[in-house]
Amino acid sequence: MKTLLKHSSQIALCVALALGSFACSQLPSTQAPLPTAVVIAASSTDIQQLAPLTLTDVMQFREIKGRSLSNNQQWLIYSAEPDYGDSSGYVRHLLSEQTYVIANADRGQLNQNGHFALFRQQAPLLAREQAKDDKAAREALAHDAVLLNTQTGVQTLFSQIDKFAFSGDGQFAFLLSRKKDSKDKTQLLQVLDLQTLSLTALGQVTDFVVAPEGDLLAFVSVVSSEPSVKASSAKAKDTRAKSSSTQDNNTHANGTIEKAAELQQVTLYAAGSKNSQVFNAASAGEIQHLVFSENGQQLLFLAGDKAEKNRETAQQLWYWSLQHATANLLVINQDGWILSAGEAPRFSADGQRIFLGLRPEPVAPAAPLAAPQSDEALFATERLLADRKLQVWHGQDDRINSQQKAEYQASLKRTAPAVFWLAEQRLVVLSNDIEDRLYRSEHSEAALISNGRPYFKQLTWQGRLHDIWHVNLKTGQRQQVFAANPSFERAHLSPSGRFVLYQQQGKLWLFDSSNGQRQQLAADVKVSWVDETHDRPEPASSYGIAGWLADESAVLVYDRFAIWQLGLDGNSRNLTPYSRNQALQLRMVQTDPKALALTNNAKLLLRGFNEENKSTGFYQLDLAENRFSTLLSGEKRYDVVDVLSELAEARPHYLFTEQSFRQFPDLWLANSDFSQRSQLTEVNPQQAQFIWGDSHLIDWYTADGSRLQGVVITPDGYDATKRYPVLVYYYEQFSDRLYNFNQMKVNHRPNFPFYLGQDYVVFLPDIRFREGAPGPSATESLLPGIDRLIELGIADPKAIGLHGHSWSGYQTAFVVTETDRFAAAVAGAPVSNMTSAYSGIRWQTGLARQFQYETGQSRIGPSMFENLAPYIENSPVFFAERINTPMVIQFGDKDGAVPWEQGIELYLAMRRLNKNVVMLHYEGEDHHLARFANKLDYSIKMLEFFNHYLKGEPAPAWWQQGQPYQPNN
């Protein structure tokens, strides 16, 4: 049967599938149109002076991380960090070419006006590796802070600094020294005057926070140990209700004196005046979650007893503002509930509201059983059973036991949301359910709450569902907006908080909180508001919205390509009617993340993506004049990363990236219409030394007439008269990555430029899936794509390798049961047996895997009990006897997504059938390899394997002979 699949005709494919488990009727044959004509010309790049990449070269390519701007947007800071090696810190003035580089630096920060920068500076990687096995040597390594004066270029080193921050006014820096011993509970905090570079010690602290504006700092210190009083939860509620003036630093009303214990206290420090204020009344066993308001004029923190392991401790909420002489205790009383540290309190942006979390009052733990004092006590079953280690998996549990375990620590921090109005000193409880999730926003009247409790049990097989509630922030009144929608469907609150827009079952609905009524919007518009290309057995996701108009007369909504203005009066208008014909997907770039709405005359910045040719661009849509204009477009990928509204008076500027397969996404600066652009960074100049390549788009048709696309990447020096070994790497839809720069890392993926340097062509094909037949779908999509490469004269038909990981690891394992077209295959973390994987566990989350098959990526549809056949028919392990392709299976034995026993099943099946197989088992590794040595080893073995079968090089020893078990410490 396998030789039939080597032919390219649709008839051959259909016959081959019919001889297997899949009827030809599943794959209707149609007369497919011809694919788009394409000529991939010979490369014009002279490679005589270019070198192929080594893995050592790959790991030294750098990425831009830690990017931020000074508040006046004049200065840019970032670090260039390699996959393996030493980072460098950079500071760049945006309006000039002034640039500073700090060696071995990262985690940079700028002060308010950009005149100073701070970086962490570590010892070089070589020194860290040399000290790896010597604790004393490790602790002696440099871990410093470097201060850069951007006006003079002077650098100042501060030794052994763990953490740092600038004051909100940019005049000071705060430096937290490293612990001298890992057991130390406190660290020295110092304040640095940036003008004089003088240091002032503030003392030993456990935590500190800096005001976003002004010169204030708040820190937590430990006061001398004195006898303390521990109150019960009920007593703690009483003390929270009392004012700070009646509190004593060491006693609580009606408490009981215990042994001496350390107390913590908060100090407020003004760096400019050097004045400090200690909030003695707020002293407690533990102080946490210090937070300033956005203007730096208010402060919050929680104070309570020292937390016990896995036991909730009642908190007090303390508040200070410029209008108060000291911190005051806010009354947070709710019968049966306590204020929780599980949710950090936060101010609204305007400083008028505090959002916090409540938890049910904890039940006192049972006292531990005393040691037996008699034979009767010795043999008491109660005492003996106290030592049992048991977990009960009940059939009616809301969450299965493994999920409860994975979420246990998070469950201890789940809180019911509440809001405290400062002007009225009034608490409004928004929920009595710790499963409620309050969506953060700056709406002052209302908010939205999500809750999935009614659907916890069916999460196992149906995926996550939730309800959305509209809640009045001033009264706590709740109204249900929708029920049982997939959790990826959010709702969109209007600026006033009155209306809510949402999508359900493909329709757009408007909820009016003033009367509780719902109405369908745009019922007469004949477009889809949900993903038109959706192919999973679950509801398709909506395309989303651009935003509400400020007067709430309309909301801007996306379809697949266009932006629509949907009026609340029933009128609908396509603002970009040309986009569908051009296959141009338009989406608004958020230029003001704090804005609740769009002005009616806004000029919107849009990003466009052409689904057909994969080009991108920036466009402007003038809502007032309904005018659309092109700002920048081309055969690259463009992305806005920052909006600079303060850089120049004349309109905003934009920080953006442009990239292609050959061009790294460095940072660029553009004016408002993108007519003036300048490159700001160049972090990988060494790329010019190496063989790279060019990406090309091709298409083909499957046997049922479906058109697919893929990316062909040819190396520099490509000879159009020569056929090449081809490495196929895929997942679902990779053609959209035509203009993506390949991430330069050593990991579980093949690095494309690295393989180009080894004289390979790389192919990234799209896969189209049929429900109930994910395995055959991969074959149906891949083989015509391979045929197209052969027709174009690119691929050596005897030298094609297949590589996939996770979902495409499964596809790889399945495809080779249906075809011998591939000379070698690598399957990373594949599912091999859907009947056993169906009721497996994703151990990282504790979720059962059933939902993946019934509603998710595996695309089976019915449960295994409703229809067993597709679970068997799509499982490679049941057809392992058909595999003739040499295969490498890779798994980590701590894989939290796919049970690694799936790899063992396939390995044992192929071993029993005497097939060519090796499983690379990386100990202690998760779904994606993390230990660098393992990533490097896998990359080396991958290339050796493909070189052997695709290029005829000698087989590596590990493939020929294996490797005996050896304990790894």
Side-chain angles (χ1 to χ4, degrees):
M1 181 197 77
K2 302 301 288 297
T3 57
L4 291 172
L5 292 179
K6 295 181 179 179
H7 301 292
S8 62
S9 71
Q10 296 174 7
I11 295 175
L13 176 60
C14 190
V15 169
L17 291 177
L19 291 177
S21 299
F22 308 96
C24 188
S25 60
Q26 290 180 284
L27 188 67
S29 181
T30 62
Q31 186 61 44
L34 295 175
T36 304
V38 62
V39 175
I40 298 180
S43 169
S44 60
T45 302
D46 182 1
I47 62 172
Q48 295 301 312
Q49 304 301 317
L50 300 178
L53 284 160
T54 66
L55 289 173
T56 301
D57 297 323
V58 171
M59 66 182 72
Q60 294 182 72
F61 271 72
R62 305 188 297 176
E63 293 184 348
I64 295 173
K65 295 186 177 181
R67 169 188 52 80
S68 65
L69 294 164
S70 58
N71 286 1
N72 62 5
Q73 299 181 338
Q74 299 286 312
W75 292 88
L76 167 71
I77 194 169
Y78 63 94
S79 55
E81 302 182 15
D83 189 29
Y84 186 79
D86 294 313
S87 300
S88 296
Y90 289 81
V91 179
R92 164 73 191 256
H93 190 256
L94 295 183
L95 299 180
S96 71
E97 296 185 0
Q98 181 64 63
T99 302
Y100 298 99
V101 184
I102 310 295
N104 304 322
D106 59 7
R107 301 184 185 180
Q109 296 181 28
L110 286 165
N111 76 331
Q112 190 273 342
N113 59 13
H115 288 182
F116 291 91
L118 273 167
F119 287 96
R120 179 185 75 162
Q121 189 174 60
Q122 296 187 93
L125 178 61
L126 176 60
R128 301 200 303 270
E129 284 293 305
Q130 292 170 338
K132 184 168 58 176
D133 299 323
D134 185 334
K135 181 180 179 182
R138 287 198 311 271
E139 293 179 349
L141 288 172
H143 193 290
D144 305 327
V146 175
L147 178 72
L148 169 69
N149 185 323
T150 62
Q151 305 306 292
T152 64
V154 173
Q155 298 180 26
T156 306
L157 183 72
F158 297 91
S159 299
Q160 301 301 304
I161 300 300
D162 187 47
K163 184 180 176 182
F164 48 77
F166 286 108
S167 60
D169 62 5
Q171 302 300 308
F172 303 90
F174 303 103
L175 308 178
L176 187 69
S177 297
R178 292 185 72 189
K179 294 180 178 180
K180 294 181 179 180
D181 187 292
S182 59
K183 297 179 181 179
D184 290 344
K185 298 179 181 179
T186 61
Q187 297 166 264
L188 176 64
L189 179 64
Q190 302 175 86
V191 57
L192 173 69
D193 187 318
L194 296 176
Q195 303 306 313
T196 64
L197 296 187
S198 60
L199 275 171
T200 302
L202 299 180
Q204 295 287 326
V205 307
T206 62
D207 191 14
F208 74 95
V209 64
V210 177
E213 297 181 11
D215 66 348
L216 292 180
L217 164 82
F219 60 86
V220 180
S221 58
V222 177
V223 297
S224 58
S225 300
E226 295 184 22
S228 65
V229 179
K230 188 178 180 90
S232 68
S233 296
K235 302 300 181 186
K237 283 174 57 181
D238 292 340
T239 59
R240 288 197 304 272
K242 296 184 179 182
S243 69
S244 61
S245 61
T246 61
Q247 292 278 328
D248 184 85
N249 192 33
N250 298 316
T251 61
H252 291 251
N254 302 320
T256 56
I257 295 179
E258 295 186 336
K259 63 181 180 180
E262 291 181 338
L263 293 179
Q264 296 182 352
Q265 65 183 16
V266 173
T267 299
L268 185 69
Y269 179 78
S273 64
K274 298 185 179 181
N275 291 329
S276 62
Q277 180 181 10
V278 180
F279 302 140
N280 289 309
S283 298
E286 185 172 27
I287 292 175
Q288 53 190 319
H289 296 318
L290 288 81
V291 60
F292 278 101
S293 61
E294 285 192 7
N295 63 7
Q297 297 181 12
Q298 301 174 94
L299 173 71
L300 289 174
F301 59 91
L302 296 181
D305 292 335
K306 184 74 174 177
E308 300 175 15
K309 184 178 180 181
N310 299 335
R311 175 165 165 75
E312 182 72 18
T313 302
Q315 300 294 309
Q316 298 175 334
L317 180 62
W318 290 84
Y319 168 77
W320 169 89
S321 75
L322 284 177
Q323 287 73 40
H324 295 86
T326 186
N328 293 303
L329 187 64
L330 300 182
V331 178
I332 309 295
N333 277 340
Q334 180 69 8
D335 288 343
W337 295 76
I338 62 169
L339 178 61
S340 172
E343 176 74 12
R346 64 180 178 89
F347 286 103
S348 58
D350 59 14
Q352 297 180 15
R353 300 174 299 286
I354 300 170
F355 292 93
L356 43 86
L358 306 176
R359 279 183 64 84
E361 193 167 1
V363 177
L369 294 176
Q373 301 299 316
S374 64
D375 285 347
E376 181 181 4
L378 177 66
F379 291 98
T381 56
E382 180 184 10
R383 188 188 70 83
L384 293 172
L385 288 173
D387 196 39
R388 63 188 167 186
K389 306 297 182 184
L390 170 70
Q391 301 295 338
V392 177
W393 296 52
H394 195 282
Q396 299 304 316
D397 283 341
D398 283 345
R399 293 180 171 98
I400 61 174
N401 196 273
S402 55
Q403 185 184 356
Q404 294 177 47
K405 178 181 178 180
E407 297 179 3
Y408 181 69
Q409 291 302 323
S411 73
L412 299 178
K413 297 182 179 181
R414 293 187 185 122
T415 60
V419 60
F420 188 88
W421 290 84
L422 285 166
E424 305 169 26
Q425 292 288 291
R426 184 169 62 91
L427 178 71
V428 178
V429 175
L430 305 178
S431 165
N432 61 1
D433 188 348
I434 62 171
E435 297 295 342
D436 276 346
R437 298 290 175 267
L438 181 71
Y439 289 152
R440 292 192 173 191
S441 76
E442 292 304 325
H443 292 82
S444 60
E445 301 294 325
L448 297 176
I449 286 177
S450 165
N451 189 301
R453 184 184 290 277
Y455 319 107
F456 283 166
K457 184 179 179 182
Q458 63 209 68
L459 162 63
T460 298
W461 59 87
Q462 195 172 349
R464 296 186 186 274
L465 302 174
H466 71 152
D467 302 337
I468 289 283
W469 296 79
H470 177 283
V471 58
N472 186 305
L473 293 178
K474 293 184 176 179
T475 67
Q477 179 187 6
R478 292 162 61 107
Q479 301 177 75
Q480 190 169 38
V481 176
F482 65 64
N485 227 4
S487 62
F488 52 73
E489 287 299 337
R490 300 283 292 266
H492 309 279
L493 198 59
S494 68
S496 71
R498 174 182 171 182
F499 299 106
V500 184
L501 179 76
Y502 65 96
Q503 181 277 135
Q504 193 163 26
Q505 297 180 339
K507 299 176 181 179
L508 293 176
W509 296 91
L510 184 74
F511 173 80
D512 186 345
S513 66
S514 69
N515 55 27
Q517 298 298 308
R518 294 169 181 80
Q519 70 178 80
Q520 185 181 350
L521 284 187
D524 58 340
V525 176
K526 305 304 181 184
V527 299
S528 175
W529 306 115
V530 298
D531 186 359
E532 296 177 18
T533 64
H534 182 74
D535 63 0
R536 297 187 181 190
E538 65 179 348
S541 60
S542 59
Y543 288 111
I545 78 167
W548 282 87
L549 294 186
D551 64 2
E552 299 189 342
S553 62
V555 60
L556 304 191
V557 179
Y558 301 128
D559 72 9
R560 180 175 178 180
F561 299 103
I563 302 176
W564 290 75
Q565 181 172 306
L566 306 183
L568 272 60
D569 60 2
N571 292 320
S572 303
R573 182 162 60 102
N574 188 343
L575 300 178
T576 59
Y578 33 78
S579 55
R580 182 170 288 270
N581 289 337
Q582 298 176 15
L584 183 63
Q585 182 190 87
L586 294 171
R587 297 295 182 259
M588 188 186 78
V589 176
Q590 180 57 265
T591 57
D592 184 359
K594 294 184 178 181
L596 296 179
L598 308 170
T599 59
N600 292 44
N601 61 350
K603 294 180 179 179
L604 305 182
L605 177 64
L606 308 179
R607 181 183 184 272
F609 172 74
N610 190 296
E611 287 191 0
E612 179 60 28
N613 63 30
K614 316 304 178 185
S615 63
T616 65
F618 296 128
Y619 307 86
Q620 187 179 83
L621 177 63
D622 189 325
L623 294 182
E625 300 183 14
N626 194 27
R627 185 175 65 244
F628 179 83
S629 55
T630 301
L631 304 178
L632 174 67
S633 67
E635 295 180 346
K636 292 186 178 182
R637 173 175 172 169
Y638 298 104
D639 296 279
V640 169
V641 297
D642 235 321
V643 180
L644 285 66
S645 57
E646 303 294 331
L647 180 65
E649 293 183 5
R651 298 184 178 182
H653 282 63
Y654 299 104
L655 206 60
F656 74 100
T657 61
E658 67 172 54
Q659 63 178 298
S660 66
F661 179 76
R662 190 180 288 275
Q663 179 182 357
F664 176 82
D666 276 299
L667 295 172
W668 291 66
L669 180 67
N671 64 346
S672 61
D673 62 3
F674 287 85
S675 61
Q676 299 175 23
R677 303 183 299 277
S678 58
Q679 184 174 342
L680 300 176
T681 67
E682 187 182 15
V683 300
N684 290 304
Q686 78 278 18
Q687 182 182 334
Q689 306 169 18
F690 299 109
I691 293 172
W692 220 258
D694 298 297
S695 59
H696 316 269
L697 190 65
I698 67 169
D699 63 8
W700 63 93
Y701 288 86
T702 64
D704 65 354
S706 297
R707 179 173 177 263
L708 295 176
Q709 293 179 299
V711 178
V712 179
I713 309 174
T714 55
D716 288 340
Y718 172 72
D719 183 350
T721 67
K722 169 187 169 182
R723 291 188 179 271
Y724 285 76
V726 175
L727 175 62
V728 181
Y729 185 69
Y730 64 115
Y731 195 78
E732 292 194 3
Q733 301 291 313
F734 270 6
S735 67
D736 290 352
R737 302 185 181 190
L738 176 66
Y739 296 117
N740 283 22
F741 186 82
N742 187 231
Q743 188 180 44
M744 298 300 290
K745 288 183 177 293
V746 176
N747 56 24
H748 62 280
R749 306 179 186 91
N751 182 275
F752 304 155
F754 172 68
Y755 273 84
L756 297 179
Q758 306 300 318
D759 213 29
Y760 282 80
V761 165
V762 176
F763 182 41
L764 314 177
D766 286 345
I767 308 296
R768 179 192 60 84
F769 294 97
R770 292 186 289 115
E771 186 175 323
S777 297
T779 308
E780 297 158 13
S781 300
L782 280 170
L783 294 189
I786 298 300
D787 290 341
R788 184 70 174 133
L789 287 184
I790 296 171
E791 291 169 8
L792 291 170
I794 297 171
D796 178 347
K798 296 182 180 180
I800 301 174
L802 188 63
H803 183 289
H805 187 86
S806 191
W807 176 232
S808 58
Y810 155 74
Q811 295 172 67
T812 295
F814 186 89
V815 165
V816 296
T817 70
E818 294 201 308
T819 179
D820 292 340
R821 292 289 295 279
F822 299 99
V826 174
V831 164
S832 64
N833 182 352
M834 287 192 174
T835 66
S836 57
Y838 172 78
S839 288
I841 300 293
R842 298 177 64 98
W843 290 108
Q844 186 174 27
T845 60
L847 297 176
R849 295 176 50 85
Q850 293 173 349
F851 73 91
Q852 279 189 246
Y853 299 89
E854 296 189 37
T855 66
Q857 187 177 53
S858 298
R859 295 173 169 88
I860 297 298
S863 75
M864 196 168 72
F865 316 106
E866 296 169 310
N867 189 358
L868 178 61
Y871 289 86
I872 294 175
E873 293 167 351
N874 285 278
S875 294
V877 73
F878 295 122
F879 307 100
E881 75 279 1
R882 302 178 184 176
I883 299 176
N884 297 317
T885 305
M887 182 185 293
V888 168
I889 303 167
Q890 178 268 316
F891 250 110
D893 58 14
K894 299 299 181 183
D895 194 314
V898 179
W900 86 291
E901 290 82 2
Q902 289 292 310
I904 295 174
E905 286 194 47
L906 183 59
Y907 160 77
L908 288 176
M910 294 183 68
R911 183 177 187 272
R912 176 66 179 83
L913 294 164
N914 203 30
K915 305 292 184 178
N916 288 326
V917 64
V918 165
M919 185 168 81
L920 302 177
H921 161 204
Y922 290 98
E923 293 182 326
E925 288 283 11
D926 203 339
H927 193 56
H928 297 138
L929 298 177
R931 183 183 290 268
F932 197 83
N934 291 339
K935 292 188 286 187
L936 182 60
D937 180 78
Y938 183 38
S939 296
I940 292 170
K941 285 181 167 57
M942 196 190 312
L943 179 65
E944 290 174 339
F945 176 66
F946 283 128
N947 279 351
H948 173 56
Y949 281 104
L950 275 62
K951 299 175 74 172
E953 295 186 4
W958 62 268
W959 178 258
Q960 281 188 314
Q961 304 164 9
Q963 176 180 299
Y965 171 80
Q966 51 188 11
N968 295 312
N969 296 324

